[in-house]
Amino acid sequence: MPNNPGMLFTVITPSIGTRPRALAQAMASVEAAVEHARQHAGLGPAQVEMLVGFDGVDGERPASTLPNLRFVVLPRPGGATSGFGNHIRHTLMGAARGGHLLLLDDDNVLTENALTSFLPHLGAEMIIGRVDTSRAFDVPFLPRPVPEGCADPAADAIRQGNIDPLCLCLSHELAYVRGRGWADEGGYESDFLNIRRYFRRARGVVRIEDVVGVYDAGRGLDLGGLNDRQRKLA
């Protein structure tokens, strides 16, 4: 169980520490989502926390109005699959006080409506929203549109290359307790493998059409912070 029953959301953000401008933008998007939810749904700012985990470096810590913001410096593990944020997500899931978890990398952003879109569906352990991927991939949104006649739209989303952690709002119980946290199962492959495991163990899954995040929104803000895929697009 989370440590604080009154905390509804924890936003978990791995950061490589070399993207301060992108991180500041990601944090600002959380602030905007919290304010939008306060105005339109009565969510208290104190009901949201953001945990930023730096990957082996003490990165720059942008200023924020979020009342529950914590920065943690975590050692980078050895091995070929280190450096993908997997160990950070796992550790911060354990430290999270919120009943539901959002996974926001430091070069992505939440949409202003993200928390408001998730709030009506918190009875489900796994909520799948849409993510704008037009800056990164040849498809405008993930998950892709549901095929006509599909019997289970949520299950259709859980396909390799069709979903991203940014799409998700997960109950803490599902992700960290029954789902064993965020396992390092092979670098980038970990995203899909963890998500599939959560889906299989979830007691309730809802897919919504709202766009809740923008993938690669911070690409190029910090020239020293591009990953291999982003360098090819630059």
Side-chain angles (χ1 to χ4, degrees):
M1 294 290 292
N3 296 326
N4 185 341
M7 191 78 71
L8 287 185
F9 296 106
T10 295
V11 181
I12 290 175
T13 300
S15 178
I16 63 173
T18 57
R19 294 196 277 246
R21 292 182 178 178
L23 176 59
Q25 179 178 259
M27 292 169 56
S29 78
V30 177
E31 293 174 1
V34 169
E35 177 59 19
H36 186 270
R38 184 191 69 79
Q39 292 184 16
H40 296 276
L43 181 73
Q47 293 178 284
V48 181
E49 73 172 346
M50 184 174 188
L51 306 181
V52 178
F54 288 119
D55 194 5
V57 297
D58 191 1
E60 185 175 326
R61 306 181 180 200
S64 173
T65 61
L66 296 170
N68 294 301
L69 170 65
R70 287 185 283 164
F71 295 93
V72 183
V73 179
L74 297 171
R76 174 179 289 195
T81 61
S82 69
F84 294 98
N86 296 320
H87 63 294
I88 295 176
R89 285 179 180 155
H90 180 75
T91 300
L92 296 184
M93 280 183 176
R97 296 179 293 168
H100 284 75
L101 311 177
L102 280 66
L103 304 173
L104 174 68
D105 287 356
D106 64 355
D107 52 354
N108 298 334
V109 297
L110 298 181
T111 57
E112 184 181 55
N113 60 274
L115 298 180
T116 308
S117 295
F118 287 137
L119 273 169
H121 307 285
L122 294 187
E125 290 195 311
M126 184 177 198
I127 309 168
I128 304 170
R130 294 200 301 162
V131 171
D132 181 341
T133 54
S134 59
R135 287 180 56 85
F137 306 118
D138 59 356
V139 292
F141 298 99
L142 290 180
R144 293 169 175 82
V146 181
E148 186 175 351
C150 177
D152 189 344
D156 177 73
I158 312 299
R159 293 183 281 117
Q160 181 70 281
N162 196 43
I163 195 165
D164 184 82
L166 185 59
C167 299
L168 304 177
C169 178
L170 303 164
S171 80
H172 186 275
E173 163 73 18
L174 169 65
Y176 191 68
V177 181
R178 298 199 318 279
R180 307 195 318 267
W182 191 272
D184 187 339
E185 301 185 83
Y188 281 122
E189 298 298 316
S190 297
D191 285 3
F192 172 68
L193 295 175
N194 281 292
I195 292 169
R196 184 178 64 181
R197 184 174 68 258
Y198 300 153
F199 176 74
R200 289 174 174 175
R201 299 186 181 192
R203 292 175 181 152
V205 182
V206 173
R207 177 171 175 169
I208 62 177
E209 291 302 308
D210 296 11
V211 177
V212 297
V214 180
Y215 191 89
D216 259 10
R219 189 187 82 215
L221 292 180
D222 304 279
L223 295 181
L226 297 174
N227 60 35
D228 291 340
R229 177 186 56 77
Q230 292 168 341
R231 289 190 191 96
K232 294 176 182 178
L233 294 172

